[in-house]
Amino acid sequence: MINLAVIGTNWITEKFVEAALESELFQLAGIYSRDKTNAQHFATELQSEDCRFYDELETLAKDPSIDAIYIASPNSLHCEQACLMMSNGKHVICEKPIASNLDETTRMYQAAKTNGVVLFEAFKTEFLPNFIELKRNLPEVGRLRNVYLSYCQYSSRYKKYLSGQNPNTFNPDFSNGSIMDIGYYCVATAVSLFGKPDSIVSSAKLLDSGVDAHGTAVLTYENFVVTIQHSKVSDGVIPSEIQGEDGAIIIDHFSECTGFMIKKKGREHDFISLEQAENSMLYEAIEFAEQIQTGEMQDAAVQRSLEVSEVITEIRKQTGVVFPADK
C-alpha cells in the first residue's frame, strides 16, 4: 500500500483521493494546507481522519512515512513544491499543467531522475479505456487530413473577475488562463494522439489581467492540420472531429472520452463506448501506482508531458501571455 499525501484541499484533490482509494493501491496518510483546520475538515469529508496534517511543506517533505505526493496547488507553485518533495525521495503526481513553462517542466523531470523517483503529470484522458480505444481506431478513417478539437467552458469564476476581483483562474501570478486550463486538454490530446507538431500558429484574446480568455491554435503535421479552439468565457456545444480520407471520428467530450462515433463512407455509423469507471481519475491513479511499483517512469508519458509543455509555452509566446515564472 502506498502512503499518499496531498497538497491542496480543493474539489479536484477530493476527486483524485477518491480515485486513489478506489484503486486499493493507496491510503491517504497526509494532508497539507496552510491552515490545518482546512486539512482536518478535508479529512472528515473523506472519512479519512487517520492521517497526519501539515501546515509546513518542509515537514511534509521530510516525513519518512509518506511515499508519494499529489500536488493540486496553483500552477505557479508546482515546480518548487514538486522539486522539494522529490529531493526528499517522494514520488510526485502533479496536476496538469505540470509547470508554468518548458524550462520548469524540464527541471522537474531532471530532478526526478536525479533523485530516483517517479514524476507523473495527471493528464487523465490518456489513460481512459475509451481514449486508448480511440487511438487504436485511428487507422479506420484512413490518411488524416483535418482534426478539430474544441473545449470551451464558461468559468464559474468569470463573474468574479468581471466584478473587479482577481480569482486565480484569471491571474497571471498563478500561471493561469484558458490555454493553461481547459486549453491544455486540447493540446495534450493532440500530442498524445499525433505527437509533436511541425509548426504552430496561434492567436488569443487577452483580458486586462494579462491572461487569455479564449484562443485558437493551428498545429501543422506532415499531412494534416489540427485546429484547437479553447475558451474560459463561453460555452461550446460542437463536438470534436478527426477527419481522414476514408471517414471521420466524432467525440462529444474528449477530455472524459466516454465514447466516440466512427463514420465511414458507404457504411453505417459505429458508436464505440467501453465501460469506464465513474471517477475518470481512477486510471491515472493506477498508472501512477504501477510506475512507483516498478520504480520507472513511462518514457512515452514523459515525452508527451515535455512536448505539451513546449507547445503551450510557444502558444503563450505567440499570444503574449507572460507569467512571472517566465522572467
Side-chain angles (χ1 to χ4, degrees):
M1 191 71 72
I2 300 167
N3 284 339
L4 176 73
V6 299
I7 296 176
T9 55
N10 51 31
W11 68 270
I12 199 166
T13 307
E14 180 177 353
K15 189 173 180 182
F16 178 78
V17 170
E18 289 172 347
L21 296 178
E22 183 181 348
S23 75
E24 298 184 344
L25 298 169
F26 297 89
Q27 61 184 5
L28 183 60
I31 302 170
Y32 166 83
S33 176
R34 289 173 297 176
D35 184 346
K36 278 189 178 180
T37 303
N38 290 338
Q40 291 165 350
H41 177 72
F42 184 77
T44 301
E45 289 291 311
L46 288 167
Q47 298 180 348
S48 299
E49 297 181 32
D50 187 23
C51 61
R52 300 186 181 187
F53 306 114
Y54 310 84
D55 56 9
E56 293 183 357
L57 287 170
E58 285 278 355
T59 305
L60 169 58
K62 295 182 182 303
D63 188 337
S65 70
I66 301 299
D67 303 313
I69 310 288
Y70 171 75
I71 297 178
S73 54
N75 300 335
S76 58
L77 303 178
H78 288 180
C79 181
E80 180 182 357
Q81 292 176 347
C83 287
L84 172 62
M85 297 301 149
M86 291 188 291
S87 68
N88 283 275
K90 305 292 189 282
H91 304 288
V92 171
I93 177 169
C94 192
E95 260 308 323
K96 58 83 192 165
I98 194 168
S100 299
N101 53 41
L102 178 59
D103 286 344
E104 286 190 348
T105 303
T106 302
R107 180 149 54 97
M108 290 165 71
Y109 279 109
Q110 184 57 55
K113 292 177 182 178
T114 298
N115 292 284
V117 296
V118 170
L119 173 62
F120 183 93
E121 183 174 28
F123 171 46
K124 66 179 182 181
T125 305
E126 188 168 61
F127 304 98
L128 298 175
N130 280 296
F131 188 80
I132 295 170
E133 186 68 9
L134 168 64
K135 187 179 292 191
R136 193 182 70 81
N137 276 272
L138 284 177
E140 289 292 313
V141 298
R143 180 179 294 182
L144 298 181
R145 289 306 185 188
N146 287 297
V147 178
Y148 176 71
L149 299 175
S150 175
Y151 196 172
C152 301
Q153 182 174 289
Y154 189 94
S155 171
S156 60
R157 296 176 178 85
Y158 187 46
K159 288 184 179 179
K160 286 186 177 181
Y161 175 81
L162 293 175
S163 71
Q165 300 180 50
N166 197 19
N168 291 2
T169 306
F170 299 105
N171 190 338
D173 288 345
F174 295 103
S175 301
N176 230 317
S178 184
I179 193 62
M180 294 290 285
D181 189 1
I182 57 177
Y184 168 93
Y185 282 104
C186 300
V187 174
T189 295
V191 173
S192 181
L193 290 175
F194 314 120
K196 181 181 171 181
D198 297 326
S199 64
I200 305 164
V201 178
S202 55
S203 63
K205 291 297 181 181
L206 274 55
L207 298 172
D208 290 340
S209 68
V211 306
D212 52 339
H214 59 92
T216 301
V218 178
L219 313 183
T220 302
Y221 294 80
E222 183 177 3
N223 295 309
F224 63 98
V225 171
V226 176
T227 302
I228 286 171
Q229 193 78 38
H230 61 94
S231 176
K232 291 285 288 179
V233 296
S234 61
D235 285 320
V237 296
I238 300 174
S240 296
E241 186 176 55
I242 300 171
Q243 298 175 7
E245 292 183 354
D246 299 332
I249 298 175
I250 296 90
I251 317 107
D252 280 332
H253 190 42
F254 60 84
S255 68
E256 294 291 338
C257 202
T258 55
F260 55 93
M261 182 180 293
I262 301 177
K263 294 184 176 182
K264 297 188 70 173
K265 297 175 183 177
R267 282 178 46 179
E268 293 187 6
H269 306 335
D270 293 325
F271 183 74
I272 297 175
S273 180
L274 304 181
E275 184 177 352
Q276 257 177 210
E278 183 177 350
N279 188 333
S280 56
M281 300 178 87
L282 172 64
Y283 304 99
E284 67 179 9
I286 293 172
E287 177 65 27
F288 179 48
E290 290 178 350
Q291 290 188 24
I292 291 174
Q293 290 163 352
T294 63
E296 295 183 0
M297 292 184 287
Q298 185 190 78
D299 289 342
V302 173
Q303 181 178 347
R304 185 262 306 151
S305 182
L306 286 163
E307 289 177 351
V308 170
S309 187
E310 182 178 356
V311 170
I312 291 179
T313 299
E314 175 61 23
I315 288 173
R316 288 198 299 106
K317 181 180 178 181
Q318 292 185 14
T319 57
V321 176
V322 180
F323 302 143
D326 301 323
K327 302 172 183 179

